[in-house]
Amino acid sequence: MILEKNTPSGNGIRPWIIDTTLRDGEQAPGVVFTAGEKYRIAQLLAEIGVNELEIGYPAISSEERENIRTIAALHLPVRLTSWARASWDDIEHARSCETEAVHISFPVSPLYLQLMQKDYLWVQRQLQELVPKAKKYFNIVSVGAQDATRTPYELLKTFVLDAEACGADRIRIADTVGIATPISVLDLVGRLQSVSPTALEFHAHNDLGMATANAFTALEAGCSAVSVSVTGLGERAGNAALEELAVALLLNNQFQCKIDTTKLAMLCKTVSKASGRPIQDQKPVIGKSVFQHESGIHCAALLKNPLSYQPFLPSEVGRKPHELVIGKHSGSAALKHFYHTRGISLTRDEASRILSLVRRSADEKKRALTAHELDEIYAIRSQKG
């Protein structure tokens, strides 16, 4: 049995990345993937170098089980996991799907126990019954603490110790409603690691906009694994975004991550189309605006060094080169560069005069100008001499 470890290698820490786009991602309201879309997404995730795919919830339907079995039959070079509630019927359905691993989710917080009309003694009994039985059929058995970040520490600690005693291979600490902060994650992971050697996974949600930061912090704190989804797709505000975490790991010399970031743009575009969720312009890493620049100071610097106002190059995530947008905030350097690409060389005085026209027009239109509009401005200016 190969178990992930967030341990130092010769070139840095190797984090274990679990993608849950096909399970938690599809739980986003109104999102339904076709069978073909699921196969394609699974293939792309395997190609990009994700370590593990949580590919579905078998108990939901016979169609879901068939889709999972078909993906399993592809023999992708990645661990496949089925998701289950703390129910033997759910685990039996997962067993029929022939995935290498199963994740069993348990309610842990007082609120969730109350909602299910259970107490912690029921959780203990389920752990003791289900985990050993599941280990007879799966190479890896992961257990999850639902609503862990709203669970009193002593109760969560007890769950971790009970899960370890029952033979769980990994324990998921779920920030189910996204209330964690990096400092709280750092503290919680550190405390739990001190009581058990069992591998920990952090599952972040983005309700406060901190999912990726929390996932990254969990790895820094020593978590063996984190779960993410493509574009952050998921319930409510979504999950930690695979593409954001992958680039954060790429830029940090502390980690050795095998994800091929040059394929991120294609992967995100595929998931966006399949989910019917457009990628927002300002979405980190993959949004349209990420590599667009208008500020005169920024554009002048970018023409000298593309890393001056970009943390990474567009090519590193499979994007086209950066774009200099001409508008109200543009400077003469960007304007001269634009016209140079049209075969027109401007003097400093010419650039200054045209720039005033550009800024006036952008003010009136309340937007940047198109190439056609800039050509017209040059033609009008030339006619006037």
Side-chain angles (χ1 to χ4, degrees):
M1 179 178 67
I2 300 175
L3 186 63
E4 67 282 352
K5 291 292 182 183
N6 187 357
T7 53
S9 69
N11 298 311
I13 296 171
R14 296 177 181 174
W16 188 266
I17 308 299
I18 305 165
D19 186 275
T20 186
T21 304
L22 297 177
R23 199 277 301 176
D24 208 349
E26 198 186 25
Q27 287 180 200
V31 173
V32 178
F33 296 131
T34 66
E37 288 167 343
K38 288 188 176 186
Y39 309 153
R40 179 57 178 157
I41 291 169
Q43 289 172 325
L44 288 175
L45 286 165
E47 289 175 13
I48 208 171
V50 168
N51 302 100
E52 182 173 340
L53 304 184
E54 190 172 66
I55 57 173
Y57 174 23
I60 198 170
S61 68
S62 58
E63 290 79 11
E64 181 80 349
R65 292 191 287 277
E66 183 59 33
N67 286 335
I68 294 172
R69 280 192 286 268
T70 302
I71 293 173
L74 296 174
H75 301 295
L76 300 171
V78 59
R79 181 187 297 166
L80 300 182
T81 300
S82 294
W83 189 93
R85 295 169 298 183
S87 156
W88 184 247
D89 285 344
D90 275 22
I91 297 169
E92 282 274 83
H93 284 308
R95 178 187 170 193
S96 74
C97 293
E98 301 179 359
T99 55
E100 179 186 356
V102 66
H103 176 79
I104 310 170
S105 186
F106 292 82
V108 177
S109 72
L111 173 59
Y112 278 30
L113 289 171
Q114 180 185 25
L115 290 171
M116 293 187 64
Q117 298 182 313
K118 304 293 184 182
D119 58 21
Y120 187 72
L121 288 177
W122 175 84
V123 173
Q124 286 182 315
R125 288 195 296 269
Q126 293 300 99
L127 278 169
Q128 292 165 359
E129 175 188 351
L130 299 179
V131 174
K133 286 176 68 176
K135 286 180 71 69
K136 295 177 182 179
Y137 305 107
F138 296 92
N139 288 339
I140 300 290
V141 176
S142 167
V143 301
Q146 284 187 48
D147 207 23
T149 51
R150 291 194 296 186
T151 300
Y153 173 73
E154 289 300 322
L155 180 57
L156 185 59
K157 172 183 169 182
T158 299
F159 176 82
V160 168
L161 292 172
D162 287 341
E164 176 194 346
C166 294
D169 296 300
R170 184 175 67 216
I171 301 168
R172 173 178 290 177
I173 306 303
D175 184 25
T176 304
V177 294
I179 61 165
T181 65
I183 294 298
S184 70
V185 171
L186 194 67
D187 176 66
L188 182 60
V189 172
R191 294 172 75 184
L192 292 177
Q193 281 195 311
S194 70
V195 302
S196 172
T198 305
L200 295 179
E201 170 202 345
F202 193 78
H203 180 90
H205 277 267
N206 202 39
D207 296 78
L208 299 181
M210 288 188 270
T212 300
N214 287 336
F216 185 88
T217 301
L219 291 173
E220 283 193 310
C223 262
S224 298
V226 290
S227 45
V228 296
S229 66
V230 181
T231 72
L233 185 66
E235 298 177 271
R236 303 182 313 280
N239 296 350
L242 166 62
E243 65 280 2
E244 295 173 15
L245 182 66
V247 175
L249 294 172
L250 173 70
L251 298 180
N252 189 296
N253 293 329
Q254 181 183 356
F255 295 97
Q256 180 189 8
C257 184
K258 71 172 190 174
I259 290 177
D260 181 356
T261 60
T262 64
K263 296 180 179 179
L264 285 172
M266 176 181 62
L267 172 64
C268 292
K269 183 178 180 180
T270 300
V271 171
S272 173
K273 182 178 179 181
S275 65
R277 295 287 186 93
I279 296 172
Q280 298 300 310
D281 286 355
Q282 287 188 289
K283 180 74 171 67
V285 179
I286 55 169
K288 178 182 177 182
S289 298
V290 173
F291 297 110
Q292 288 183 325
H293 307 271
E294 182 178 331
S295 167
I297 296 173
H298 289 204
C299 292
L302 284 160
L303 289 168
K304 297 175 182 177
N305 186 329
L307 288 176
S308 57
Y309 282 96
Q310 296 176 156
F312 53 92
L313 297 176
S315 59
E316 293 182 90
V317 293
R319 297 282 301 279
K320 295 179 180 179
H322 65 259
E323 176 188 357
L324 302 186
V325 175
I326 306 300
K328 175 181 177 179
H329 303 283
S330 294
S332 58
L335 193 66
K336 290 173 73 173
H337 174 76
F338 169 79
Y339 284 115
H340 179 74
T341 65
R342 321 289 275 187
I344 301 169
S345 296
L346 298 181
T347 65
R348 179 180 298 180
D349 287 343
E350 287 173 329
S352 179
R353 287 193 293 270
I354 291 176
L355 187 59
S356 65
L357 297 174
V358 166
R359 288 174 174 171
R360 188 182 311 148
S361 180
D363 251 339
E364 293 170 352
K365 298 177 185 297
K366 291 180 64 65
R367 60 170 172 80
L369 303 187
T370 66
H372 177 69
E373 289 166 339
L374 291 167
D375 287 339
E376 285 186 333
I377 288 175
Y378 178 78
I380 293 169
R381 181 63 202 173
S382 297
Q383 289 172 5
K384 291 182 178 181

